[in-house]
Amino acid sequence: MNKALTLITGLLILCTSLLNAQTSMQDPQAKKILDGLSAKLKTYKTITAEFTNTMEDKADPSMSDSFSGKLLVKGQFYNMTVMGQNIISDSKTIWTVIEDEEVQIDDAPTEEEEAENLFSPTKIFKFYEKGFKYKYDQEINIKGVICDQINLFPEESEDKSFHTIKLIVKRAEKQILSVIINGKDGMTYTYSISKFETNTPLTDDIFKFDTKKHPNIEVNDLRL
């Protein structure tokens, strides 16, 4: 009888621990912030953002690097300028313009391929909506701006190159300020948003590249 009671008590403790762990990984405070973030995002017809991407390796500082870029998004269309390249997509075709000397043309990823890329230009502001557990971490004051930090953990971590993502959200604006990705290889990748404008009129021609208007550029068509 004592053994049975001990077993039942142990099972109850285990179940309670698992339930508390699950709740803590999907806690209501974090969910409320993320839901507010997603609701605000749906009101944007276009996004114009400037960002800095920093890569840090504490074990080997020589591997650290940083670069800035600009991103325009309109639905599934995007136009991104970064590291001497201008990457343009109308959701069907991708043009990669390199130093204004060469343009590589390729098919846009399929929906299945796009689903595997958490941080594609059209998903970078909403990547957290699927495939993550989340937990509220802390309130942060960054240069007078009150922010909330939420820690994200991939539900299927085995096939991911990172183990944790820290999402910093500007509380009043309900906008992402930075995304900090902690890689399994010891590298830390930080995307910091320095400028964020919404609903600026953007014409569709911004998201296409007309080779006829650039007769001197080398065209490398990679489509089958």
Side-chain angles (χ1 to χ4, degrees):
M1 185 68 178
N2 290 337
K3 290 183 178 179
L5 182 60
T6 301
L7 177 60
I8 292 173
T9 302
L11 288 174
L12 288 173
I13 293 173
L14 177 60
C15 290
T16 302
S17 299
L18 290 173
L19 180 60
N20 288 338
Q22 182 178 15
T23 302
S24 66
M25 295 296 277
Q26 305 283 21
D27 71 272
Q29 187 175 3
K31 185 178 188 304
K32 182 178 180 180
I33 295 171
L34 294 177
D35 286 349
L37 194 61
S38 294
K40 188 74 176 291
L41 188 65
K42 291 178 181 178
T43 68
Y44 304 148
K45 294 182 179 179
T46 67
I47 295 174
T48 301
E50 295 181 7
F51 62 90
T52 300
N53 181 10
T54 302
M55 299 170 286
E56 298 179 282
D57 186 348
K58 294 182 179 180
D60 185 1
S62 65
M63 295 294 292
S64 301
D65 198 5
S66 179
F67 58 85
S68 299
K70 183 175 182 179
L71 174 63
L72 309 177
V73 177
K74 182 179 181 181
Q76 294 302 308
F77 300 174
Y78 64 85
N79 185 317
M80 181 170 65
T81 303
V82 63
M83 298 183 69
Q85 297 187 359
N86 185 202
I87 307 169
I88 305 166
S89 177
D90 63 356
S91 79
K92 296 180 180 180
T93 305
I94 293 180
W95 297 268
T96 303
V97 185
I98 305 172
E99 301 290 350
D100 292 324
E101 296 179 356
E102 177 189 357
V103 58
Q104 297 178 354
I105 306 174
D106 207 346
D107 293 319
T110 63
E111 290 186 10
E112 291 76 13
E113 292 171 337
E114 188 70 9
E116 295 297 321
N117 186 2
L118 288 176
F119 308 107
S120 68
T122 58
K123 292 173 63 178
I124 186 62
F125 299 112
K126 56 181 180 181
F127 72 91
Y128 55 84
E129 293 181 335
K130 292 182 180 180
F132 286 95
K133 300 175 183 179
Y134 43 81
K135 188 177 187 303
Y136 185 84
D137 188 22
Q138 62 179 323
E139 175 185 301
I140 308 174
N141 188 320
I142 301 178
K143 297 181 179 180
V145 178
I146 301 301
C147 301
D148 293 301
Q149 177 176 307
I150 297 173
N151 292 339
L152 305 171
F153 309 91
E155 292 179 343
E156 299 179 1
S157 61
E158 293 80 6
D159 60 343
K160 299 294 187 297
S161 61
F162 58 90
H163 56 80
T164 312
I165 296 178
K166 295 181 180 181
L167 186 64
I168 312 298
V169 180
K170 296 166 72 174
R171 182 179 294 176
E173 293 86 347
K174 296 181 180 179
Q175 292 178 354
I176 295 176
L177 180 62
S178 61
V179 179
I180 304 170
I181 305 168
N182 294 314
K184 293 178 180 178
D185 58 357
M187 295 288 289
T188 300
Y189 305 85
T190 302
Y191 293 87
S192 300
I193 311 299
S194 57
K195 183 178 181 180
F196 191 87
E197 297 179 349
T198 61
N199 297 329
T200 302
L202 299 174
T203 58
D204 288 354
D205 62 293
I206 294 174
F207 305 99
K208 294 179 181 291
F209 185 85
D210 189 349
T211 56
K212 295 179 181 178
K213 295 181 179 179
H214 304 268
N216 296 323
I217 199 167
E218 179 184 347
V219 178
N220 187 2
D221 196 333
L222 304 176
R223 294 171 294 185
L224 297 178

